[in-house]
């Protein structure tokens, strides 16, 4: 037992060292604030740079025309916009359902050996260099079918999407308190209905964030596209032909030694950022507007 | 306390008629801790039975065995039989999901579904089980909210989120939600433990109304509450059912010394 004298002594220990703790509190607050500023500076400066350099290149022609002759500064990036939108759409059609279902499996049924194994390989896949996935798509699709194609690009990008969506879905579902599940089961609701109508409804915000991270990630992927869709200056002509995409176009034209091409590169980068941003905001608006405060603006992580 | 013979043969089927729910030889454990040791208990139809006992004596676990919620917990094990109208809930041909529709449950902490409105919360059990008829849904929602004396407070705000209500209102909403699936038995796990005296009183009044129609089993830490609301009381201690009888007898004239000590507040 602690005696009365000891207690009095302990009291002096934590009542009269307030000054020191206030100082530590201020220092930690300062460090946290400085870190936030340091994280925002690169983001802000990238956005500023892209906007100032890219807005000059924007015009109706730039957005609707196929690329002109190299070095002339004429033409546009329309096929690349088309290709990026197609790639995002098709990869999402494949990657999002499979990713969400795997996430549900891991969270609801994955508390066993299979779950652990899948979780492990999923994490490994998430850390895979994307260029390796590009080479893999090249081997199994491009070489087998004999040509570069939109299919191959879709295949590679949906593989890149999968682990991100699976992991974020699993984590968001696990955050839903067990009391909601129990309440559902106690009402005699079938397990599948409890998962889809109660748990997913509560975890929607986190799942959408995960999907948007994955979309932003694949929208900026360049390396796997070199091996799969190759690049082209023509409009879409079929899923089995080569295609252009914005990151590929940016990479190609910004390496050219012409000022006009580099200006177009900046323009294409701006268009890419605007596309990702508007998909993000649009999806959030459509899916999350009902749940009141859940509509939050999140900066999109860019990787190029 | 009477003992029950093993199989529900013709003779004790008749005897079971006045008993809505019979639990036989329930042994339940989780994480290798045995929480309920061989408890046998019979619950009369249209009566309130209270389970009292100190914390950790297995009341809640026992209650969760009665509608097969216990087996959903991690590493949970259970043996014994639970007979609802003479049919064993744990026999192989019984679907736990169907039986949970017959045996409703109210939890210790209010847990309305966070993404649903007040209306949808009450209607959840029906809607998610496939009932789509709007007229019937409206009628049931209104009726259930009236039963828990919540209708007048929320009738203009049915579209508001269930989470926007106060704690006591949320708990009554959860009871309405449990009643909406038209159960025959209602299990209540300390429904008033997080409520203030006024909300508690409302819930107790409501239980007096509900028992005309339902068989209610309530776990409570509050002995005054057990005395006020229940017709029968069971005292559990260290996972065993020590004494079970009419509430009046348990509180005024307990047979066992340990029961007497507990109800007089000498330990707990």
């Amino acid at each position: 037992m602690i005696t009365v004298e000891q207690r009095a002594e302990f009291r002096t220990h934590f009542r009269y060292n307030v000054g020191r703790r206030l100082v530590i509190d201020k220092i930690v607050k300062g460090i946290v604030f400085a870190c936030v500023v340091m994280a925002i500076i690169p983001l802000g400066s990238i956005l500023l740079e892209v906007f100032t350099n890219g807005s000059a290149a924007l015009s109706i022609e730039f957005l609707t025309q196929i690329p002109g002759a190299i070095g002339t500064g004429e033409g546009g990036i329309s096929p690349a916009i088309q290709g990026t939108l197609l790639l995002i759409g098709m990869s999402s059609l494949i990657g999002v359902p499979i990713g969400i279902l795997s996430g549900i499996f891991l969270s609801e049924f994955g508390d066993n050996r299979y779950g652990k194994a899948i979780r492990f390989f999923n994490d490994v896949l998430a850390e895979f260099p994307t260029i390796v996935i590009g080479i893999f798509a090249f081997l199994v699709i491009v070489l087998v079918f004999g040509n570069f194609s939109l299919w191959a690009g879709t295949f590679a990008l949906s593989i890149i999407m999968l682990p991100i969506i699976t992991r974020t879905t699993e984590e968001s579902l696990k955050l839903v308190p067990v009391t909601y599940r129990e309440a559902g089961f106690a009402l005699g609701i079938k397990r599948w209905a409890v998962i889809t109508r109660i748990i997913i409804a509560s975890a929607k915000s986190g799942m959408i964030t995960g999907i948007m991270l994955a979309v932003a990630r694949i929208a900026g992927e360049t390396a796997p596209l070199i091996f799969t869709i190759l690049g082209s200056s023509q409009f879409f002509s079929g899923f089995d032909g080569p295609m252009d995409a914005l990151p590929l176009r940016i990479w190609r034209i910004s390496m050219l030694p012409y000022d006009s091409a580099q200006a177009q590169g900046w323009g294409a980068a701006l268009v890419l950022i605007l596309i990702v941003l508007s998909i993000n905001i649009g999806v959030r608006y459509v899916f999350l507007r009902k749940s009141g405060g859940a509509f939050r603006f999140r900066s999109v992580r860019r990787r190029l | 306390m009477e003992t029950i013979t093993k199989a529900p043969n013709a003779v004790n089927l008749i005897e079971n008629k006045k008993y809505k729910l019979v639990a036989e030889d329930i042994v339940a454990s989780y994480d290798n801790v045995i929480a309920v040791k061989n408890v046998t208990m019979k619950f009369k139809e249209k009566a309130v039975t209270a389970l009292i006992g100190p914390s950790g004596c297995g009341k809640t676990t026992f209650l969760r065995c009665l509608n097969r919620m216990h087996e959903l917990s991690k590493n949970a094990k259970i043996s014994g039989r639970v007979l609802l109208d003479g049919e064993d809930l744990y026999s192989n041909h019984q679907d736990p999901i169907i039986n949970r529709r017959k045996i409703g449950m109210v939890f210790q902490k209010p847990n309305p579904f966070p993404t649903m409105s007040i209306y949808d919360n009450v209607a959840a059990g029906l809607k998610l089980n496939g009932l789509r008829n709007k007229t019937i849904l409206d009628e049931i929602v209104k009726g259930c909210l009236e039963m828990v004396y919540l209708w007048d407070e929320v009738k203009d705000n049915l579209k508001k989120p269930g989470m926007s209500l106060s704690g006591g209102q949320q708990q009554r909403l959860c009871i309405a939600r449990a009643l909406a699936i038209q159960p025959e038995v209602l299990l209540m796990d300390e429904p008033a433990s997080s409520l203030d005296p006024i909300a508690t009183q409302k819930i107790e009044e409501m239980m007096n109304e509900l028992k005309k129609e339902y068989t209610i089993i309530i776990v409570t830490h509050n002995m005054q509450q057990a005395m006020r609301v229940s017709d029968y009381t069971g005292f559990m201690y260290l996972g065993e059912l020590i004494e079970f009888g009419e509430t009046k007898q348990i509180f005024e004239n307990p047979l066992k010394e340990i029961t007497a000590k507990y109800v007089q507040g000498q330990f707990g």
Side-chain angles (χ1 to χ4, degrees), chain A residues 3-16:
Chain A
T3 63
V4 177
E5 291 78 23
Q6 275 175 316
R7 239 181 264 141
E9 199 194 325
F10 293 154
R11 246 170 238 143
T12 61
H13 275 285
F14 71 84
R15 275 194 194 166
Y16 302 108

Side-chain angles (χ1 to χ4, degrees), chain B residues 243 249-257 259-261 263-264:
Chain B
E243 199 170 343
Q249 177 255 312
I250 294 281
F251 280 95
E252 287 171 8
N253 195 14
L255 299 174
K256 302 252 172 73
E257 197 186 342
T259 317
K261 274 188 173 171
V263 298
Q264 285 159 15

Side-chain angles (χ1 to χ4, degrees), chain B residues 57-237:
Chain B
C57 71
K59 307 182 294 289
T60 298
T61 309
F62 176 67
L63 197 72
R64 289 166 64 92
C65 292
L66 297 179
N67 68 342
R68 296 190 63 170
M69 287 292 286
H70 178 60
E71 67 202 44
L72 296 173
S73 321
K74 220 177 167 187
N75 298 329
K77 283 198 194 99
I78 175 165
S79 69
R81 303 199 309 165
V82 177
L83 306 178
L84 176 70
D85 294 326
E87 285 199 53
D88 186 4
L89 301 187
Y90 284 90
S91 74
N92 288 333
H93 61 272
Q94 290 281 336
D95 183 353
I97 289 168
I98 301 295
N99 280 312
R100 286 189 204 119
R101 293 179 196 170
K102 295 182 192 160
I103 305 178
M105 187 163 192
V106 177
F107 296 85
Q108 189 169 358
K109 282 185 188 147
N111 54 357
F113 297 128
T115 52
M116 293 187 194
S117 66
I118 294 170
Y119 180 96
D120 284 340
N121 257 292
V122 181
L126 302 165
K127 268 187 168 176
L128 299 190
N129 285 329
L131 186 74
R132 297 246 150 64
N133 187 325
K134 188 92 173 64
T135 341
I136 295 180
L137 280 175
D138 284 350
E139 225 169 273
I140 292 178
V141 168
K142 181 166 187 269
C144 290
L145 286 172
E146 275 170 347
M147 270 206 260
V148 299
Y149 304 117
L150 197 58
W151 176 253
D152 291 331
E153 293 162 50
V154 301
K155 64 182 171 198
D156 302 320
N157 299 317
L158 290 175
K159 291 273 170 275
K160 274 197 177 173
M163 288 298 217
S164 65
L165 299 172
S166 75
Q169 287 174 322
Q170 283 186 19
Q171 188 65 306
R172 279 181 283 152
L173 179 68
C174 292
I175 298 173
R177 180 177 68 185
L179 294 176
I181 53 168
Q182 312 301 322
E184 295 155 37
V185 179
L186 194 60
L187 309 177
M188 302 176 106
D189 184 4
E190 296 182 48
S193 68
S194 56
L195 305 183
D196 70 8
I198 297 166
T200 307
Q201 196 193 346
K202 280 197 169 164
I203 285 186
E204 287 179 9
E205 282 169 15
M206 188 193 73
M207 285 172 67
N208 267 324
E209 277 300 307
L210 291 178
K211 79 173 183 190
K212 291 175 188 161
E213 210 181 322
Y214 299 88
T215 305
I216 299 177
I217 303 165
I218 176 174
V219 163
T220 178
H221 269 294
N222 183 332
M223 277 178 281
Q224 279 74 40
Q225 185 175 55
M227 237 149 60
R228 281 192 300 264
V229 300
S230 69
D231 305 304
Y232 301 91
T233 298
F235 170 61
M236 285 180 76
Y237 185 58

Side-chain angles (χ1 to χ4, degrees), chain A residues 251-262:
Chain A
W251 176 63
R252 290 246 154 83
I253 56 184
S254 59
M255 286 200 312
L256 296 172
Y258 304 106
D259 285 345
S260 59
Q262 279 168 16

Side-chain angles (χ1 to χ4, degrees), chain A residues 45-109:
Chain A
S45 49
I46 290 172
L47 279 177
L48 194 71
E49 193 86 341
V50 173
F51 268 92
T52 46
N53 290 318
S55 48
L58 288 188
S59 65
I60 301 290
E61 194 201 1
F62 184 66
L63 294 177
T64 54
Q65 300 287 307
I66 59 165
I70 291 169
T72 57
E74 283 170 0
I77 54 163
S78 193
I81 296 175
Q82 197 188 23
T84 288
L85 290 178
L86 276 170
L87 279 172
I88 291 177
M90 287 167 59
S91 310
S92 302
L93 278 182
I94 299 172
V96 171
I98 300 180
I100 286 183
L101 289 175
S102 332
I104 293 174
F105 172 80
L106 286 182
S107 141
E108 305 299 319
F109 308 93

